[in-house]
Amino acid sequence: MTDQVVPPPERAPAIDVVICTHNRPDLLRVAVDAVLAQDYAGKVTVVVVFDRSEPDLSLERHDPARRVLVVTNTRTGGLAGARNSGVLAGGSPLVAFCDDDDAWEPDKLTRQVRRLLYTGALTCVTGIRIQYGDHSSVRLARADEMTLERLVRRRVMPAHPSSVLVRREALLGPIGLVDEHIPGSYAEDYDWILRAALAGDICVVEEPLVRVMWGQSLFSGRWRTIIEALDYMVDKFPQFQADRGALARIRGQQAFGHAALGERRRSLGKVWETMRLNPAEPRAWVALPVAVGLVKADTVMGALHRRGHGI
């Protein structure tokens, strides 16, 4: 099989697409419709997981080729438990994730399956198109970025959870389910992609096949949770302690978080730690004016988002 061949419908692997949601019905329907509109030849089951909210059974669809299953989160409350509930509710050999505020291009699954089968990789990701208000930007992942060393050093933003396609046997085996112990489920996708890189190859379709809506995130402004989750990640992965640049990036993010919370002393302490680890780490220099009150955190985040970047 070449990278240009798609298996016929009777041989195309079935795919479960897990979409977790919490009180965003309009955005959810856009996400579901984009999955149902995929030009993929095989069967696709959309598993919509309602997390701490009333399930909308009107979404259910019983077409064997494009089924929609509505379930509730039966595990830990939050995104991590909801993702796992969706995975375990299905049984297809391939699993994809999509956030409820994102949407796929029609050929996403076709191109990903083609690439996954050709390479033999366990996981496949694509690039993304970020929409923030009237601003749009494209972020592409490259195959040489999808190694553990590179992912620890730099969070490859285009390797977004809504772009992930993974073999179920790897997801339930060497990679493992989403970590439900991460504070607030923040960075659960980063934790998972690091474990995916540890387990095997991650292939890439270097095209923006996912439309990501920024400004809708449920984590927006939850800086305390973000700070705690980043500490959890550093404790879990020794690779961060072994890479001064990677650890500086994390501490710089925490410096900004403390600054956004108005915790000047803690922020300046993290700024100093970041600079000692890596004086060139830009997050320290971004956090510093916020910590001393020269600029508001929201102003900085807005400017970054318009360029398709986060902190």
Side-chain angles (χ1 to χ4, degrees):
M1 180 178 296
T2 71
D3 196 16
Q4 303 302 315
V5 175
V6 180
E10 65 273 13
R11 291 179 51 208
I15 303 173
D16 291 334
V17 181
V18 177
I19 303 179
C20 305
T21 190
H22 178 78
N23 294 334
R24 297 201 283 198
D26 294 337
L27 291 169
L28 172 63
R29 287 189 177 274
V30 172
V32 170
D33 287 346
V35 176
L36 295 176
Q38 291 293 295
D39 64 11
Y40 181 60
K43 294 181 179 179
V44 177
T45 298
V46 185
V47 184
V48 181
V49 186
F50 283 81
D51 176 42
R52 298 166 294 178
S53 56
E54 190 68 25
D56 181 1
L57 297 179
S58 71
L59 291 167
E60 289 199 328
R61 173 172 167 162
H62 303 290
D63 180 347
R66 292 290 185 271
R67 182 186 177 205
V68 179
L69 175 66
V70 172
V71 301
T72 57
N73 180 8
T74 58
R75 298 172 66 93
T76 306
L79 184 55
R83 286 204 205 279
N84 289 339
S85 292
V87 170
L88 297 174
S92 298
L94 299 180
V95 178
F97 297 111
C98 183
D99 289 348
D100 66 356
D101 54 348
D102 298 335
W104 291 353
E105 298 300 334
D107 58 344
K108 175 188 180 288
L109 289 181
T110 296
R111 298 186 65 180
Q112 278 194 287
V113 171
R114 181 187 296 165
R115 188 67 184 157
L116 193 75
L117 297 180
Y118 175 70
T119 62
L122 300 182
T123 306
C124 183
V125 298
T126 77
I128 60 177
R129 183 180 302 277
I130 298 170
Q131 189 70 40
Y132 179 72
D134 296 331
H135 300 269
S136 178
S137 59
V138 170
R139 303 287 299 277
L140 299 181
R142 302 193 314 270
D144 63 356
E145 294 179 303
M146 303 310 298
T147 65
L148 181 63
E149 181 181 16
R150 295 289 294 275
L151 286 165
V152 167
R153 173 58 68 93
R154 186 175 75 86
R155 171 67 172 97
V156 180
M157 188 60 65
H160 190 278
S162 292
S163 83
V164 166
L165 178 70
V166 60
R167 299 177 190 267
R168 177 176 290 273
E169 61 184 6
L171 176 56
L172 299 182
I175 300 175
L177 291 170
V178 180
D179 187 343
E180 297 181 30
H181 298 292
I182 297 176
S185 291
Y186 177 78
E188 44 76 34
D189 55 328
Y190 186 31
D191 170 276
W192 189 89
I193 204 73
L194 290 175
R195 288 188 282 121
L198 273 167
D201 291 340
I202 301 174
C203 65
V204 178
V205 179
E206 297 184 15
E207 297 289 341
L209 301 181
V210 178
R211 286 168 283 152
V212 175
M213 297 293 293
W214 274 14
Q216 305 290 339
S217 173
L218 296 175
F219 291 110
S220 179
R222 291 173 53 188
W223 293 109
R224 183 73 63 207
T225 298
I226 291 170
I227 292 166
E228 293 174 357
L230 291 173
D231 276 332
Y232 179 93
M233 292 285 290
V234 170
D235 290 341
K236 181 174 180 178
F237 291 95
Q239 291 84 359
F240 285 109
Q241 297 288 353
D243 186 327
R244 291 174 65 88
L247 186 57
R249 177 173 62 83
I250 297 293
R251 296 309 185 211
Q253 290 174 305
Q254 292 178 314
F256 187 90
H258 284 299
L261 289 169
E263 298 172 348
R264 176 172 177 167
R265 179 172 295 182
R266 288 187 176 184
S267 178
L268 293 177
K270 290 295 184 184
V271 167
W272 173 239
E273 182 181 355
T274 303
M275 290 180 175
R276 284 192 293 109
L277 289 165
N278 179 13
E281 171 53 55
R283 289 165 183 81
W285 301 100
V286 171
L288 185 58
V290 177
V292 299
L294 294 179
V295 64
K296 294 183 179 297
D298 288 348
T299 301
V300 174
M301 293 302 296
L304 290 171
H305 287 344
R306 283 190 292 274
R307 297 172 55 196
H309 294 274
I311 196 63

